[in-house]
Amino acid sequence: GQSLEQPSEVTAVEGAIVQINCTYQTSGFYGLSWYQQHDGGAPTFLSYNALDGLEETGRFSSFLSRSDSYGYLLLQELQMKDSASYFCAVFTGGGNKLTFGTGTQLKVEL
Amino acid sequence: EPEVTQTPSHQVTQMGQEVILRCVPISNHLYFYWYRQILGQKVEFLVSFYNNEISEKSEIFDDQFSVERPDGSNFTLKIRSTKLEDSAMYFCASNGGGRSDTQYFGPGTRLTVL
C-alpha cells in the first residue's frame, strides 16, 4: 500500500524559516507534490519534484531524495497568512492518481 | 487565470437520496478527478477520468458512485443512495498534460447527509 508520513503540527514565529518533512512508501513513484490548504478551502498547488534536488519558488522551496523516499517543504520569511495545512502528495499507479499525506498544520505566531 | 469551478458549494440531503455534484474543469484540460476529504482528515482519491472513461478508481468508489462527462464542459459525480459516511468535502481536479502533471483543484462541495 501507499503511505506518506508528515508531522501533525508545526509552530513557528513570523519571519522565521520552517521545514515540513515527508517520508513515503509507495509503488510506481512519479514525483512528489506539495499543496497548501486553508480551513474550508481547496488544496492549492505549491510545488512539484520529479527529480532529486531542490526546487525554489519565491519564499517556498521543496526538496526530494528518491533514494531516501524523503522530501521536505521549506517556507522562508513566514507570514501570518502561511498558517494553513500543508500536504505532501505523490503520483502513483498509472501516474495520474495523487495520494496525499496526513497533513501538517502550520501555525504562525507573532 | 483559468480555474476549476464546482456547484453547489454546499449540499444537504437525506440518507438514501441521490446527489449529483457538478464540476467545470479548466477548459483545455483532458484529465479529470474526484477526491474527497472527511472533516479533519486527509484528501482521498476517488476516481480519475480520461477520454470519456474511468482510468483508475479507489476502493471507496463502489457501485454507489458514478462519473460522467455529459457535454464538453461539465464533469459530474453521482452518488446513488447516500449514506451518513458520505458526508465530506468533495473536490474536483483537472490537469492537461497527462501523467504526473499538476492537478488543479476546485473549491469543493460540502456534502452533508442527514
Side-chain angles (χ1 to χ4, degrees):
Chain A
Q2 329 285 355
S3 71
L4 293 91
E5 297 295 326
Q6 306 176 231
S8 59
E9 200 172 294
V10 172
T11 302
V13 296
E14 197 174 29
I17 299 172
V18 72
Q19 179 174 312
I20 299 173
N21 298 321
C22 173
T23 57
Y24 59 87
Q25 285 186 310
T26 67
S27 58
F29 177 84
Y30 290 86
L32 182 71
S33 295
W34 288 92
Y35 283 81
Q36 178 192 62
Q37 187 181 35
H38 287 97
D39 278 349
T44 303
F45 172 77
L46 292 176
S47 70
Y48 173 64
N49 295 70
L51 303 174
D52 286 359
L54 191 69
E55 293 283 340
E56 297 181 76
T57 309
R59 294 189 297 117
F60 296 167
S61 302
S62 58
F63 172 82
L64 174 65
S65 169
R66 295 173 71 122
S67 60
D68 295 323
S69 298
Y70 163 77
Y72 66 73
L73 179 70
L74 192 73
L75 297 87
Q76 303 181 74
E77 301 173 19
L78 280 176
Q79 301 174 9
M80 297 297 290
K81 67 178 182 179
D82 297 329
S83 293
S85 291
Y86 292 84
F87 293 88
C88 59
V90 297
F91 286 101
T92 60
N96 285 326
K97 170 184 172 182
L98 266 178
T99 298
F100 280 79
T102 50
T104 299
Q105 187 169 10
L106 172 64
K107 296 180 182 176
V108 180
E109 300 176 334
L110 290 171
Chain B
E1 186 175 325
E3 58 183 18
V4 177
T5 59
Q6 291 184 241
T7 54
S9 57
H10 191 186
Q11 174 90 48
V12 181
T13 190
Q14 296 290 326
M15 190 169 57
Q17 295 297 303
E18 174 183 286
V19 294
I20 297 176
L21 310 183
R22 292 182 167 79
C23 168
V24 178
I26 294 172
S27 63
N28 61 345
H29 283 185
L30 301 175
Y31 297 80
F32 315 117
Y33 311 85
W34 285 101
Y35 293 82
R36 80 170 187 191
Q37 186 177 32
I38 295 170
L39 187 64
Q41 298 186 21
K42 65 179 181 180
V43 177
E44 299 175 288
F45 170 81
L46 292 178
V47 66
S48 59
F49 190 88
Y50 169 71
N51 200 26
N52 282 320
E53 60 182 24
I54 291 173
S55 48
E56 191 168 355
K57 60 183 181 179
S58 73
E59 60 276 9
I60 302 169
F61 195 88
D62 61 22
D63 292 344
Q64 293 298 316
F65 291 87
S66 62
V67 289
E68 191 178 30
R69 186 154 165 83
D71 53 43
S73 59
N74 290 283
F75 179 51
T76 62
L77 174 69
K78 181 192 291 186
I79 309 175
R80 289 191 184 81
S81 178
T82 50
K83 303 187 283 282
L84 294 176
E85 54 265 37
D86 293 327
S87 295
M89 196 75 156
Y90 288 80
F91 293 106
C92 174
S94 70
N95 70 13
R99 292 179 182 180
S100 311
D101 192 43
T102 299
Q103 295 185 14
Y104 294 93
F105 283 71
T109 293
R110 179 168 299 284
L111 177 65
T112 302
V113 182
L114 303 175

